[in-house]
Amino acid sequence: MQLQDILYSQGFGTRRVCAGLIQQGLVQVYESNEALAPVECRESATEFVAEGLRFRVQGVDWPYHEKAYVMLNKPTATECSQKPSTHPSIYTLLPSPLRLRPQKGAVQGVQAVGRLDQDTTGLLLLTDDGKFIHRMSSPRHHVPKVYEVTVKHPLTEVQVQKLLAGVVLDDDPKPVRAAACEAVDTHHLRLTLTEGKYHQVKRMVAAVSNRVEGLHRSQIGGLRLPDDLPPGQWRWLSAADLASISA
């Protein structure tokens, strides 16, 4: 694949913009996985094997990914929307290439896999792989999600058992059950859900006469939010990470 096409596919602008970056000497390529330093390339039509390629654009290293899969530690007071109403969009936390990766549809770049409320923090996945988004969002797949819930009133064993047995929400007569539920301490509930109804955690906790004061998603499938990923920061998902999500 030509270098300008590689940069275009990774979200660095139109092919003309990418060719300009290369011709201006702003792009360097690592010639092998073992290479400690990249080599400048000024010919936009130079061909490389895209898979596994690492390159540097304007001083920033980038790996080639046919599809982008990233995790974000969502901070509070941010919205999972391209057009936020009150708070900043989570997409402003991502670098421009991730937001501009070309898509066949009208929307460019990576998209959030599901949404977290503006005051909910924690693990959020983003990708430009539509099939992955559909698979993760489908209720048929029942991917478990773990939430750390801070509640207003002291937890009781009765509340925990009700959440495990199932509670009825106001928009559905069918009881909604937690896949797992434990009181970590008096005001900390760890709740595992396999479906994603609107404001589900808050409504389930309200149904057992308590109230959510803080909500943090710590895990999706077998993928835990790393302790060393600060709020507002992102990182690429590895093949092992992707495998652990559906494990």
Side-chain angles (χ1 to χ4, degrees), residues 10-11 62 68 70 94-101 109-110 234 236:
Q10 302 301 289
W62 283 87
V70 302
L94 302 175
S96 177
L98 284 179
R99 303 197 308 269
L100 296 178
R101 287 173 67 96
V110 296
W234 69 278
W236 297 101

Side-chain angles (χ1 to χ4, degrees), residues 129-247:
D129 183 347
K131 291 182 179 179
F132 179 80
I133 293 175
H134 177 74
R135 186 168 71 251
M136 290 294 295
S137 303
S138 172
R140 291 183 298 134
H141 288 84
H142 300 294
V143 179
K145 300 176 179 66
V146 182
Y147 296 88
E148 311 299 328
V149 190
T150 302
V151 297
K152 183 175 183 178
H153 308 294
L155 291 160
T156 68
E157 183 61 24
V158 171
Q159 290 175 340
V160 172
Q161 292 306 317
K162 282 184 177 180
L163 290 167
L164 287 169
V167 296
V168 176
L169 305 181
D170 56 14
D171 63 346
D172 191 348
K174 184 179 178 181
V176 177
R177 298 174 177 84
C181 182
E182 64 171 314
V184 179
D185 61 34
T186 59
H187 291 76
H188 178 185
L189 184 71
R190 180 167 294 134
L191 193 66
T192 302
L193 303 179
T194 56
E195 49 191 326
K197 294 178 179 291
Y198 179 71
H199 286 171
Q200 184 172 345
V201 174
K202 295 175 181 177
R203 294 161 67 204
M204 288 180 70
V205 170
V208 298
S209 302
N210 214 320
R211 177 177 171 177
V212 172
E213 296 283 284
L215 187 56
H216 176 83
R217 186 159 68 191
S218 59
Q219 188 170 333
I220 299 175
L223 178 66
R224 289 189 58 82
L225 181 67
D227 293 334
D228 61 350
L229 186 65
Q233 299 298 307
W234 69 278
R235 71 172 53 164
W236 297 101
L237 292 179
S238 66
D241 291 334
L242 286 169
S244 71
I245 292 171
S246 55

Side-chain angles (χ1 to χ4, degrees), residues 51-79:
E51 189 63 37
L53 186 69
R54 293 187 300 141
F55 50 92
R56 181 177 293 176
V57 181
Q58 293 179 298
V60 178
D61 283 352
W62 283 87
Y64 173 86
H65 288 284
E66 182 178 359
K67 291 291 184 181
Y69 305 92
V70 302
M71 69 168 75
L72 173 72
N73 186 350
K74 180 188 175 296
T76 189
T78 54
E79 297 183 29

Side-chain angles (χ1 to χ4, degrees), residues 118-134:
Q118 60 189 35
D119 55 350
T120 301
T121 63
L123 181 57
L124 186 67
L125 305 180
L126 301 104
T127 182
D128 59 351
D129 183 347
K131 291 182 179 179
F132 179 80
I133 293 175
H134 177 74

Side-chain angles (χ1 to χ4, degrees), residues 29-39 54 56 61:
V29 177
Y30 289 89
E31 295 185 319
S32 69
N33 287 331
E34 294 75 29
L36 297 178
V39 176
R54 293 187 300 141
R56 181 177 293 176
D61 283 352

Side-chain angles (χ1 to χ4, degrees), residues 11-63:
F12 286 91
T14 64
R15 287 182 173 83
R16 178 174 292 183
V17 168
C18 293
L21 290 170
I22 297 165
Q23 292 159 9
Q24 292 172 54
L26 299 175
V27 179
Q28 300 166 298
V29 177
Y30 289 89
E31 295 185 319
S32 69
N33 287 331
E34 294 75 29
L36 297 178
V39 176
E40 185 179 289
C41 179
R42 285 181 177 261
E43 294 295 328
S44 59
T46 303
E47 296 205 347
F48 294 91
V49 175
E51 189 63 37
L53 186 69
R54 293 187 300 141
F55 50 92
R56 181 177 293 176
V57 181
Q58 293 179 298
V60 178
D61 283 352
W62 283 87

